[in-house]
Amino acid sequence: MINHEIKIAFQEYSSVDELGVTDQALCAEAVNAMVHSHSPYSKFKVGAALRLKSGKIIHGSNQENVAYPSGLCAERVALFYWGANHPDDSIETMAVTAYTDEFELQKPVTSCGSCLQVLAECEKMQNEQVKVILFVGKGPVWVANGIESFLPFLFFEDRLS
Ligand code: THU
């Protein structure tokens, strides 16, 4: 029997103000993206913003549905839009934020496993890692370079691609 240990790495900043100006601007875009969140059921808004190599910004927000499983997370709304429209303009950074009137968020919302798996596929498609910035109004900002930090056991099978 062998025991394996996996270490993940990410950086923590005390606020968005500590990030570089380009990343701060992308965080502001993620906040703007929440304007179009359709979340009448959870009342939990999520905004995602992608910055592409060309400088283009893509917004995504969670889109819920009365048939609950038909809804989709903000990250996948943005990532699938990228795949459908700008697959040749690689994603440099994704910023994700959330807000609810129901309670105070004090730490970043970490993307769900399905969104991480989709982001992993985007990294494979563009053959470059994506910087991920997670933040909310208050509390720390978490930054990771590449999806493997958040989903070390992501599914990938070369023979299926
Ligand atoms: N949600 C996201 O948009 N991204 C995530 O990574 C996790 C959760 C959304 C889905 C749903 O609309 C609401 O947050 C509550 O789960």
Side-chain angles (χ1 to χ4, degrees):
M1 193 270 276
I2 303 171
N3 273 319
H4 292 280
E5 254 181 58
I6 294 178
K7 279 192 186 162
I8 64 161
F10 66 97
Q11 294 84 52
E12 180 169 309
Y13 296 84
S14 54
S15 88
V16 165
D17 302 338
E18 283 186 7
L19 303 176
V21 282
T22 324
D23 287 344
Q24 282 188 38
L26 191 66
C27 290
E29 296 284 353
V31 171
N32 289 340
M34 287 193 292
V35 170
H36 297 302
S37 162
H38 177 65
S39 40
Y41 308 105
S42 71
K43 298 183 171 45
F44 192 82
K45 294 175 191 288
V46 184
L50 310 179
R51 188 180 61 245
L52 310 187
K53 196 153 250 166
S54 67
K56 187 172 177 54
I57 304 290
I58 289 176
H59 284 182
S61 52
N62 54 330
Q63 300 295 318
E64 298 183 350
N65 192 279
V66 64
Y68 290 7
S70 302
L72 199 62
C73 295
E75 295 93 320
R76 273 176 290 162
V77 168
L79 294 168
F80 287 146
Y81 180 91
W82 170 78
N85 295 283
H86 301 283
D88 298 326
D89 191 359
S90 49
I91 307 165
E92 284 186 345
T93 309
M94 177 173 81
V96 182
T97 193
Y99 176 81
T100 179
D101 280 326
E102 310 290 300
F103 49 88
E104 190 176 47
L105 293 171
Q106 285 167 339
K107 61 178 174 53
V109 167
T110 44
S111 301
C112 78
S114 296
C115 289
L116 294 177
Q117 183 70 42
V118 168
L119 184 55
E121 185 93 10
C122 296
E123 286 191 342
K124 292 273 180 208
M125 285 162 72
Q126 66 181 28
N127 203 22
E128 272 176 89
Q129 290 190 316
V130 174
K131 178 174 174 181
V132 181
I133 305 174
L134 306 174
F135 71 103
V136 284
K138 252 191 176 179
V141 178
W142 292 340
V143 180
N145 288 305
I147 194 55
E148 260 185 68
S149 304
F150 289 147
L151 192 63
F153 271 104
L154 64 92
F155 174 72
F156 199 75
E157 171 51 69
D158 280 317
R159 289 163 299 180
L160 290 179
S161 343

